[in-house]
Amino acid sequence: MNSADSQLFIDAGPQGALTAGHGHADALSIQLIANARPILIDPGTFCYVCPERNRFRGTAAHNTLQVDGRDQAQPSGPFAWTNMPETTVDHWHTSETIDVFAGHHNGYHPVIHHRWVVGLKNKFWLVRDLVTGAGSHSLDIHWHFRDERDLAILPPANHTWTQSIEPWDWSPIYGRKEPAKVLRFSTETTLPAEFAVLLIPGEPGIFMQTAPSTYQYKEPQGSHDFIFGERFVYRTTCPAGVTELSL
C-alpha cells in the first residue's frame, strides 16, 4: 500500500520454498516505512545458529496475531519448519484514494486468523483481526516499533483487551541487535473474537467499535465508518457530503 511518503507491506505469501529454511513464522504480518524510516519493523535475523534463532523468527517477533502462545509453524532445526500455514488472499482492491486487503491463514488449525487492512492514502490505516473457531483461546497481537513518537497505534476507546509496552530486540543487519519495543494487546476469550487498531502518523482522533464488525473514526475533518460483513463498506462524512465505497 503506497502513499506519497509511506509504504505498508503485508506478508500474504508462502512461508518459503521447500522447508522454508530462511523463512519466518510471520503470516499476515505488517511492516511500515514512512519518510524513508522503518516504523513498524520486522525483527530481522540476528543469527543463524544461536539460542535466539527461534525468538527472532517466531510469530511473537512479528506484527501479527498469535494464538495460545504458539508459532504459526513448528521450527525443525535452525533451517527448517514443519506444519507451515497456508495463507490465502481473499480480496485486494487498490485505487487513488483507498486500498483494501483481506486474507487468512490456517497456521493455528482448526482456529483461523483473518486480517483486513484498509489504507486511506496519506491519512491512516485500519487493521482488523478476526479469529474464528471454537472454544476459549489466548490471543495476542504484537506491534513492533523503535520509537513510539513515530506512529499512533490506536485501539477502540471501548475495548476490553489488556495492553502493555515491553522491550524487544531488532536486528537491522545480520549479527547486530538493537533495542526496540513491542505493543501487545491480549485477551483470553471464546471464539469468534475480533480486534482492530488504527495506525495514524499524527495526532489521533476518536476511534470506536460501534457494533459487531463495525468501527467509526472521528477527526476534525469528518468521520469514517468501516462495516465488515458479507460486503465491506467504507463511508466518509465531511462538510462536502457523504462518500461511500462497497466491495
Side-chain angles (χ1 to χ4, degrees), residues 195-214:
F195 193 76
V197 297
L198 283 183
L199 309 175
I200 306 174
E203 190 66 28
I206 300 173
F207 182 46
M208 297 283 292
Q209 182 173 2
T210 56
S213 305
T214 303

Side-chain angles (χ1 to χ4, degrees), residues 27-66:
L28 301 183
S29 182
I30 287 172
Q31 296 179 62
L32 174 63
I33 296 172
N35 299 311
R37 298 181 63 243
I39 307 299
L40 293 174
I41 54 177
D42 180 271
T45 297
F46 181 54
C47 65
Y48 286 140
V49 182
C50 72
E52 293 182 271
R53 171 69 166 151
N54 288 342
R55 181 172 181 265
F56 272 83
R57 64 177 181 162
T59 299
H62 297 83
N63 300 312
T64 189
L65 178 140
Q66 191 176 27

